[in-house]
Amino acid sequence: MKHFLRVVTQFFVFLYCKCLWRGLKFVVRKFTGRCELQRICYNNKHGARRTLKIESSLRYSKNELLQSALSVHPDKVEKTIDDIMALKKINPDTNPQLGISLQASLLQIVGYRSLVAEVEKLRREPYDCENPEHEEMLMKLWKELRPDTPLTGRISKQWCEIGFQGSDPKTDFRGMGLLGLHNLLYFAEHDKATALQMLHDSLQPKHNEVNKPEWEQKNLDKAIGYSFAIVGINITDLAYSLLVSGALKTHLYNVAPEMPSLLHFQQTFCYLMQEFHRFWIEEDPSDIMEFNRVRSKFHRRILRQLKNPDMALCPHFSASDLHLVNL
């Protein structure tokens, strides 16, 4: 019976999408004198609310030109908009704002696709200790986080002081490749005060009754709850999953006027790092073994926020020129 009801429901959904919805759009266009793209642009403010609807309209269109608009090169966006206006028989002279609105939204759409490709390329590039650029970035990370402590050697237990698991950090970058290193270094360079504070907090005893001399004789894994660098790589993975799943479109379409860039992604990473740090303290886990539970709960909270099309996870730290707003 359940299977039958499911089949019937799917049939009516199919019928609605293929017949009734297209018929309804035809009637609305005749009644208003505007096509669907015009109605979206005129009835929705700039940002995710408008761009997500335009993206959906283009994706589910039967017209090949409209479908292909989602994957055009950024340099071809202006011509594509002209072609869409011609296809829809819209006079650009009497509808000047429409072309501007469509162009801005289409740049956001193709920019998001480009950003996913750029981030994926960094994630797939493994850390290479024979690559001078990779090594230079790693050394910069140490200097930013431990400015007053010289590193005794490239292979050293000192790396544990900033939250790596062993003597050679390259093994910790396997999951996220260079993307993890790029994000950690960006955070340490562009919001140094916050990064240093988070690192300091992560190394503090869990309980106040443990004094510092006694604490310094204990293992680092008895700290307030996590290893800074490892958490940074985990939050990079979280930000990456939000990006590739499309969940981050809400945020990026609201904060990037046109094409989202790697800078926007890195700023979002910094925001997530700070928010996770606060969330971890609020959750007050008993030890590091609860990390996956807390991370999953934090992930779900961010996803709930991103379901609001007007939401922007705007960073409120010195690394960003954006303001904390809920648009």
Side-chain angles (χ1 to χ4, degrees):
M1 185 63 180
K2 289 183 179 179
H3 178 70
F4 174 75
L5 291 175
R6 189 182 302 113
V7 171
V8 171
T9 302
Q10 290 175 346
F11 172 75
F12 280 108
V13 169
F14 173 81
L15 185 65
Y16 173 76
C17 294
K18 291 294 183 180
C19 303
L20 298 180
W21 174 241
R22 296 190 186 281
L24 180 62
K25 289 202 300 182
F26 176 80
V27 172
V28 172
R29 174 159 190 172
K30 289 297 183 181
F31 181 74
T32 63
R34 293 176 175 175
C35 69
E36 185 178 33
L37 291 175
Q38 284 177 297
R39 296 194 300 273
I40 292 172
C41 287
Y42 291 140
N43 297 334
N44 297 275
K45 63 182 180 181
H46 176 67
R49 190 174 288 274
R50 176 194 293 170
T51 300
L52 288 171
K53 289 181 179 180
I54 289 176
E55 189 172 11
S56 178
S57 176
L58 295 175
R59 177 174 291 112
Y60 295 109
S61 172
K62 293 193 299 181
N63 186 279
E64 185 177 340
L65 170 64
L66 298 182
Q67 290 181 352
S68 63
L70 295 173
S71 56
V72 298
H73 190 276
D75 293 341
K76 302 292 184 181
V77 166
E78 189 172 352
K79 181 182 183 304
T80 301
I81 296 302
D82 291 340
D83 293 341
I84 291 175
M85 299 278 279
L87 175 69
K88 295 294 184 178
K89 299 178 181 179
I90 301 171
N91 187 340
D93 295 329
T94 56
N95 297 271
Q97 188 58 43
L98 178 63
I100 295 173
S101 299
L102 283 174
Q103 182 170 330
S105 290
L106 193 54
L107 281 171
Q108 287 183 320
I109 294 167
V110 300
Y112 192 95
R113 290 172 61 94
S114 298
L115 176 59
V116 171
E118 185 178 4
V119 167
E120 182 64 27
K121 183 179 178 181
L122 285 173
R123 188 189 72 85
R124 288 178 176 272
E125 185 175 357
Y127 183 91
D128 182 5
C129 58
E130 300 297 325
N131 188 317
E133 292 183 2
H134 296 187
E135 289 286 285
E136 182 182 359
M137 290 175 63
L138 186 59
M139 293 302 110
K140 279 184 179 178
L141 180 63
W142 174 267
K143 290 177 182 177
E144 292 293 338
L145 296 176
R146 279 286 185 261
D148 301 323
T149 306
L151 188 65
T152 58
R154 168 62 179 79
I155 307 299
S156 170
K157 284 290 185 181
Q158 285 179 287
W159 290 111
C160 297
E161 296 177 18
I162 61 174
F164 287 104
Q165 290 181 324
S167 302
D168 190 352
K170 80 171 187 177
T171 59
D172 293 324
F173 291 122
R174 288 174 182 168
M176 285 288 106
L178 276 191
L179 183 63
L181 179 55
H182 271 272
N183 280 353
L184 281 169
L185 183 57
Y186 181 90
F187 189 28
E189 286 184 328
H190 292 83
D191 198 22
K192 188 171 183 176
T194 304
L196 290 175
Q197 184 61 54
M198 287 180 60
L199 175 61
H200 175 268
D201 291 347
S202 73
L203 297 175
Q204 298 310 301
K206 171 68 178 175
H207 302 291
N208 293 331
E209 62 267 18
V210 181
N211 58 48
K212 189 169 184 179
E214 181 184 354
W215 160 244
E216 289 176 344
Q217 295 176 3
K218 298 181 182 291
N219 294 328
L220 289 176
D221 61 0
K222 301 292 185 182
I224 195 171
Y226 62 76
S227 299
F228 178 82
I230 296 301
V231 166
I233 295 171
N234 266 277
I235 296 302
T236 293
D237 177 66
L238 189 150
Y240 168 78
S241 68
L242 291 173
L243 181 73
V244 298
S245 69
L248 210 54
K249 286 180 179 180
T250 303
H251 164 66
L252 292 177
Y253 288 168
N254 280 329
V255 300
E258 292 186 343
M259 293 182 65
S261 67
L262 184 61
L263 176 64
H264 292 103
F265 179 76
Q266 290 174 320
Q267 290 174 340
T268 304
F269 164 78
C270 296
Y271 169 82
L272 291 173
M273 279 289 284
Q274 293 189 49
E275 289 302 300
F276 180 80
H277 181 65
R278 295 188 185 96
F279 189 75
W280 179 268
I281 294 173
E282 290 172 6
E283 287 292 302
D284 193 27
S286 58
D287 55 41
I288 192 64
M289 299 305 292
E290 292 196 68
F291 179 82
N292 287 337
R293 176 190 66 80
V294 177
R295 182 190 184 276
S296 296
K297 189 174 180 180
F298 177 72
H299 190 184
R300 291 193 298 271
R301 188 175 88 166
I302 296 298
L303 284 173
R304 285 196 300 271
Q305 292 175 348
L306 290 172
K307 286 182 179 180
N308 177 2
D310 295 325
M311 178 59 68
L313 300 175
C314 290
H316 49 84
F317 47 84
S318 59
S320 176
D321 59 355
L322 303 172
H323 298 287
L324 177 61
V325 292
N326 186 350
L327 297 180

